[in-house]
Amino acid sequence: MADANLVNANLTDAALFGMNLTSTMFCPPLEIGFASDTCADLAGATLSESNLKGAHLSRANLKGADLAHADLAGADLTNADLTNADLTGAKVAGAKFEGAKLKGVRGLPPSL
């Protein structure tokens, strides 16, 4: 599904284990809720202003992803690769970043 256009897709409770969504466009903002994206490839995906509250994104590839102003509160990003991702204005309260790759992340909250 690389380069897919998921405009207006509803992925609430979707199981995207191992899914390759490289450079996929999600507009208007995506609402994932508690979906499981463990190991998903979301490199370069546009997820700005998305509701990813409580999402399971452990080990996800989010290299270069646009997460600006996304709600990541309570999300599990354990061991995720966020290299060069944009977190400008993202809500990260309670999110788990243990072992996450954060090199080159823009808008990285000082607490991380």
Side-chain angles (χ1 to χ4, degrees):
M1 284 187 61
D3 296 315
N5 182 341
L6 297 177
V7 173
N8 295 318
N10 180 349
L11 299 177
T12 302
D13 296 323
L16 303 176
F17 181 80
M19 183 72 73
N20 179 352
L21 297 171
T22 303
S23 298
T24 297
M25 175 185 254
F26 298 96
C27 288
L30 178 67
E31 294 221 17
I32 286 186
F34 286 96
S36 176
D37 293 335
T38 304
C39 297
D41 189 345
L42 295 161
T46 302
L47 298 164
S48 58
E49 299 184 24
S50 294
N51 179 359
L52 302 170
K53 198 182 287 188
H56 301 282
L57 297 163
S58 62
R59 298 186 302 153
N61 179 2
L62 291 158
K63 288 181 185 176
D66 181 0
L67 294 159
H69 305 285
D71 189 347
L72 293 163
D76 183 0
L77 293 150
T78 304
N79 297 315
D81 189 346
L82 290 146
T83 303
N84 297 320
D86 187 359
L87 290 176
T88 304
K91 297 176 186 173
V92 296
K96 298 176 188 172
F97 286 93
E98 291 84 9
K101 295 179 184 174
L102 301 172
K103 184 178 180 182
V105 173
R106 293 178 304 285
L108 191 64
S111 60
L112 299 177

